[in-house]
Amino acid sequence: MNQTDYQTSGYQDDEIDLREVFVVLGKWKKTIIGVTIGAMLITALVSMYFIEPEYEASTVIGPLQNDALTNRTSSNYILREDTDYRRLTEDNIDEAFFNADVSKYMEMIQSSWVLEETNKKLDLDCSPEQLKGMIRTEQKDEKDPNLTIVVSYNDRVMAAKIANTLVQELQIHVRNLQAEQID
């Protein structure tokens, strides 16, 4: 009784025969292979001749380590905190340098002075705004005092040079600002 109900209600079981599927694929195998190879060739030609490669170079900057400061003969280090200055001793070096605010460096690395000096030093044929577009700064998490500077450029050697020069010019800029404020 149940079998007749299914047959009369329009349900019919269709079976898929794998042999038939392979026969159909066999008939169209030249077309399938041709389309696959054609797509691979078009993709290769577009990527080789129309898309410029873009390389990334990164550098990491961070605060001075404790032993880098204490191994020097002179212990006259001055730390600027907002509007006050204080002398660093071996007791408060950890507190001062490992709690450094990296966001200021993130802003300074993309400041016009640093970008213009980098542009002049490397004789780049781009504006500071274009150079700023090539630079990305990252900090892994808020507790990590290190700052990663990533430069994207179509020449891998020049990307590395830009990243290194940015760090050098940032150091010069920070020293200049500190010297102005101390004076």
Side-chain angles (χ1 to χ4, degrees):
M1 188 174 337
N2 288 339
Q3 289 179 338
T4 56
D5 289 341
Y6 286 120
Q7 290 175 354
T8 56
S9 64
Y11 289 107
Q12 295 179 354
D13 292 332
D14 287 336
E15 292 182 13
I16 297 176
D17 188 11
L18 287 179
R19 286 175 282 196
E20 290 177 17
V21 171
F22 288 123
V23 167
V24 171
L25 288 176
K27 287 181 185 177
W28 289 94
K29 77 177 172 186
K30 290 181 183 178
T31 305
I32 293 170
I33 292 171
V35 168
T36 304
I37 291 174
M40 288 172 33
L41 287 175
I42 290 171
T43 304
L45 290 173
V46 167
S47 66
M48 286 173 37
Y49 295 109
F50 297 111
I51 298 176
E52 283 190 32
E54 189 157 312
Y55 299 98
E56 286 190 348
S58 64
T59 184
V60 178
I61 61 173
L64 292 173
Q65 298 299 321
N66 190 6
D67 54 343
L69 293 173
T70 56
N71 286 341
R72 301 211 177 153
T73 56
S74 172
S75 61
N76 291 328
Y77 296 99
I78 298 174
L79 177 69
R80 178 180 169 264
E81 293 179 336
D82 296 327
T83 58
D84 295 336
Y85 295 93
R86 71 178 167 127
R87 184 173 306 278
L88 293 179
T89 61
E90 292 182 14
D91 299 332
N92 62 2
I93 283 177
D94 289 338
E95 168 193 335
F97 281 95
F98 293 111
N99 293 329
D101 185 19
V102 183
S103 65
K104 292 178 184 176
Y105 292 109
M106 292 174 87
E107 293 172 10
M108 278 193 255
I109 199 74
Q110 295 186 356
S111 70
S112 61
W113 190 90
V114 173
L115 294 175
E116 287 172 6
E117 291 300 315
T118 301
N119 208 349
K120 285 179 194 174
K121 190 174 240 181
L122 294 175
D123 195 27
L124 298 172
D125 57 347
C126 64
S127 68
E129 290 80 24
Q130 290 171 329
L131 184 59
K132 185 177 183 177
M134 297 178 204
I135 301 167
R136 187 176 75 240
T137 55
E138 301 172 347
Q139 186 179 9
K140 290 186 181 177
D141 58 22
E142 292 178 16
K143 294 179 182 179
D144 186 15
N146 294 327
L147 175 67
T148 303
I149 300 167
V150 181
V151 177
S152 300
Y153 198 70
N154 58 5
D155 180 16
R156 62 180 173 210
V157 174
M158 188 55 100
K161 284 182 181 179
I162 292 171
N164 291 333
T165 306
L166 277 169
V167 172
Q168 292 169 354
E169 294 302 322
L170 176 65
Q171 290 173 343
I172 292 169
H173 184 60
V174 168
R175 283 188 205 127
N176 291 343
L177 288 175
Q178 289 174 344
E180 286 175 12
Q181 292 173 352
I182 289 176
D183 287 342

